[in-house]
Amino acid sequence: TLHDGGTTDFDNCIYPSDGADRVVVRQCIISKWAGAGVQLYTGASPIQNPVVEHNIIFNTSGGIPGTANTDTGGFTNGHRTQGIISQNVVNSRVANNLVYALRDDGLPRYGILLGTGSTRAYHNTVADNPTEGIEVAFDAALSSEVKNNILFNNAQGAIVDDRPLAA
């Protein structure tokens, strides 16, 4: 159980480093964290084959927003507000998680964000969040799959596809 940590939304609970291979985040309870519950997001070297499964994440993302910077390829620094972020990964699996009741302070609060890379999001329950349940974003997310999830009572929709249209 991980709870009551961080002071800004840069303080993510679980955040593997660049180039990590076969990271497994399993059977954690994460609550009252200032940043994201689990952030799979790296710089130059993608995380390979991470697995995030059987976790309960709630009441996260209550930190003070950091410095805004919109020149980050889609992310705005200071808005790490999701339960689970899977971005810049190779062959990621996000499965059988419960993500609910993220804090509502007017910022986007996606239960699960799938960004660049290849992520399979299966059998998750995402509920009672102030914006989208699952956000699919950025070009490389074309290789991601979202199947058999339970999504309800997310204020701005269940699954939002924000990928750019192909030229």
Side-chain angles (χ1 to χ4, degrees), residues 54-115:
H54 303 289
N55 299 291
I56 299 171
I57 300 171
F58 64 98
N59 199 20
T60 62
S61 307
I64 302 162
T67 305
N69 176 358
T70 57
D71 189 26
T72 58
F75 267 134
T76 302
N77 288 337
H79 295 282
R80 290 164 176 83
T81 57
Q82 291 71 22
I84 299 172
I85 298 171
S86 182
Q87 167 136 346
N88 197 22
V89 297
V90 175
N91 196 31
S92 173
R93 186 176 78 229
V94 176
N96 298 303
N97 297 288
L98 171 60
V99 180
Y100 70 97
L102 300 180
R103 296 182 190 169
D104 185 359
D105 61 3
L107 296 174
R109 302 278 186 230
Y110 315 119
I112 299 173
L113 172 65
L114 307 181

Side-chain angles (χ1 to χ4, degrees), residues 1-166:
T1 300
L2 304 161
H3 61 86
D4 297 298
T7 56
T8 77
D9 64 345
F10 286 100
D11 299 326
N12 301 300
C13 185
I14 298 175
Y15 193 174
S17 299
D18 281 2
D21 190 18
R22 293 181 176 84
V23 171
V24 176
V25 179
R26 182 179 291 139
Q27 296 181 336
C28 297
I29 299 172
I30 300 170
S31 68
K32 298 180 185 173
W33 211 268
V38 177
Q39 180 161 319
L40 305 174
Y41 178 76
T42 63
S45 182
I47 296 173
Q48 306 282 326
N49 307 300
V51 175
V52 179
E53 63 184 8
H54 303 289
N55 299 291
I56 299 171
I57 300 171
F58 64 98
N59 199 20
T60 62
S61 307
I64 302 162
T67 305
N69 176 358
T70 57
D71 189 26
T72 58
F75 267 134
T76 302
N77 288 337
H79 295 282
R80 290 164 176 83
T81 57
Q82 291 71 22
I84 299 172
I85 298 171
S86 182
Q87 167 136 346
N88 197 22
V89 297
V90 175
N91 196 31
S92 173
R93 186 176 78 229
V94 176
N96 298 303
N97 297 288
L98 171 60
V99 180
Y100 70 97
L102 300 180
R103 296 182 190 169
D104 185 359
D105 61 3
L107 296 174
R109 302 278 186 230
Y110 315 119
I112 299 173
L113 172 65
L114 307 181
T116 58
S118 54
T119 298
R120 297 168 315 222
Y122 303 142
H123 308 291
N124 297 289
T125 300
V126 183
D128 296 324
N129 294 304
T131 59
E132 292 90 356
I134 296 178
E135 169 89 4
V136 182
F138 314 114
D139 279 332
L142 296 171
S143 60
S144 293
E145 292 181 328
V146 178
K147 294 182 179 179
N148 300 318
N149 295 282
I150 298 171
L151 305 142
F152 64 94
N153 202 30
N154 295 293
Q156 295 180 8
I159 299 174
V160 175
D161 186 345
D162 278 343
R163 295 175 289 188
L165 297 174

